[in-house]
Amino acid sequence: RRTPAPAWLPTAKGEEGDFCLRSSDCAAGLCCARHFWSKICKPVLREGQVCTRHRRKGTHGLEIFQRCQCAEGLACRLQREHGPADTSRLHTCQRH
């Protein structure tokens, strides 16, 4: 038996910026991610966009501003800088 959705949750798939509980509440190309103390539909990350790499399982929930995962076919990897000072810790979505 399914319980009805809360009144504030739209019956159609949420667009970018709409409140959500899980990614399935959002339209294609969006995921449900934390924004302050609520969750909204945000765009899935494309190639070259900055992503968050989590070293330990469960740390994703500690973020106030979560990012979506990289789109299918992309992985969140350390961005390689050219030159001797390769000290960047910036991660971007890159092809496998």
Side-chain angles (χ1 to χ4, degrees):
R1 185 172 161 199
R2 290 178 49 161
T3 56
W8 60 267
L9 194 64
T11 54
K13 296 286 185 177
E15 296 299 323
E16 188 173 345
D18 288 347
F19 288 103
C20 57
L21 293 176
R22 61 192 65 81
S23 292
S24 60
D25 297 334
C26 301
L30 302 173
C31 82
C32 188
R34 189 177 333 283
H35 189 81
F36 287 112
W37 292 270
S38 60
K39 293 175 94 175
I40 62 171
C41 296
K42 294 183 179 184
V44 170
L45 300 177
R46 297 184 305 271
E47 188 172 7
Q49 290 187 305
V50 174
C51 54
T52 304
R53 181 80 185 250
H54 300 284
R55 296 182 193 275
R56 283 176 274 127
K57 194 173 185 176
T59 57
H60 200 259
L62 302 176
E63 296 175 289
I64 293 177
F65 298 104
Q66 288 177 333
R67 290 185 174 106
C68 289
Q69 300 293 325
C70 296
E72 195 171 325
L74 302 176
C76 187
R77 294 193 178 137
L78 187 63
Q79 180 174 305
R80 295 288 176 205
E81 297 291 329
H82 299 291
D86 190 3
T87 58
S88 173
R89 293 195 176 269
L90 193 66
H91 287 78
T92 57
C93 294
Q94 301 170 26
R95 297 221 173 264
H96 289 287

